[in-house]
Amino acid sequence: MKSYLLPLLVLVSFQWVIAQENYTLKSSKFTIAGSSNVHDWESDVTKVKATGTFTVDAGQIKAISGVKVEIPVTGIKSAKGSIMDKKTYEALKSDQNPSITFTLTKINSISPQGLVKAGGNLKLAGTSKPIDLEVTVRTSGNGELTISGSKPLKMTTFGIEPPTAMFGAMKTADDITIKFNVTMAKAGL
């Protein structure tokens, strides 16, 4: 009987040290940047919900699963003002599709330095497409995670007509870049 006790204690201790933890969003900085034939533009994402399950061992990310990000379209705000915001909401079809969502589907690799190559489904304006994503995940001494990265996209890939203004004199370019830096904390803390 004693011969089974030691391996069982080691296994239980190992699982406690390397445990999956649920995380929720603590803070975020998201921007959507693009250009037009008149000027470059940038909009801030003021509202975000994010959750995920992370396995951390000795300060290194070992596994990631269940990541979901939701951005209410009307939480996207431009320094250019309400006219730009209205054009953004129309382009993203916010009446029928009030949120932008990302759902993680796979992890391709996690480096010891925290570079994560992953894939997921991004839904914009009612169209869902698979995307590849590279992010950097850093751990902190207080158990929080900082996740940062950027992703270039084309609006037309998601069936979005690049907005125009001034009777078509101002035309938005198809290319946009989403940049983010988020802090995740263990759920319930």
Side-chain angles (χ1 to χ4, degrees):
M1 182 84 161
K2 289 182 181 179
S3 64
Y4 293 107
L5 188 55
L6 185 58
L8 181 60
L9 286 174
V10 169
L11 180 61
V12 169
S13 297
F14 182 71
Q15 287 180 346
W16 182 78
V17 172
I18 305 175
Q20 287 185 341
E21 298 272 358
N22 293 323
Y23 284 76
T24 58
L25 185 72
K26 180 179 179 184
S27 64
S28 68
K29 171 77 173 144
F30 268 82
T31 59
I32 302 169
S35 64
S36 72
N37 62 331
V38 177
H39 56 73
D40 291 343
W41 57 268
E42 187 172 279
S43 293
D44 292 322
V45 176
T46 63
K47 298 176 185 173
V48 180
K49 293 179 188 175
T51 58
T53 302
F54 296 81
T55 303
V56 180
D57 177 29
Q60 290 185 343
I61 300 296
K62 296 297 183 181
I64 303 170
S65 63
V67 173
K68 293 185 180 185
V69 179
E70 181 180 349
I71 298 171
V73 172
T74 55
I76 300 171
K77 303 291 182 186
S78 169
K80 302 283 184 200
S82 62
I83 294 173
M84 175 79 169
D85 293 344
K86 183 179 176 191
K87 292 286 185 185
T88 299
Y89 306 156
E90 287 173 1
L92 293 173
K93 305 169 190 164
S94 65
D95 289 344
Q96 301 86 22
N97 305 285
S99 295
I100 297 167
T101 59
F102 172 80
T103 305
L104 179 73
T105 57
K106 64 181 176 177
I107 296 293
N108 296 321
S109 65
I110 302 173
S111 78
Q113 296 78 26
L115 179 64
V116 177
K117 295 181 180 182
N121 290 319
L122 179 63
K123 186 175 183 182
L124 286 170
T127 300
S128 184
K129 297 282 184 179
I131 64 166
D132 290 321
L133 195 59
E134 283 189 21
V135 300
T136 301
V137 182
R138 302 269 185 241
T139 60
S140 68
N142 63 2
E144 293 178 350
L145 305 174
T146 302
I147 304 167
S148 59
S150 64
K151 179 66 181 173
L153 299 169
K154 290 194 177 291
M155 287 189 265
T156 53
T157 300
F158 293 87
I160 300 169
E161 184 71 31
T164 61
M166 301 182 319
F167 304 104
M170 186 176 97
K171 298 178 182 177
T172 305
D174 193 14
D175 296 309
I176 60 171
T177 300
I178 300 172
K179 300 176 188 175
F180 53 91
N181 189 321
V182 300
T183 300
M184 304 285 285
K186 291 179 184 176
L189 295 182

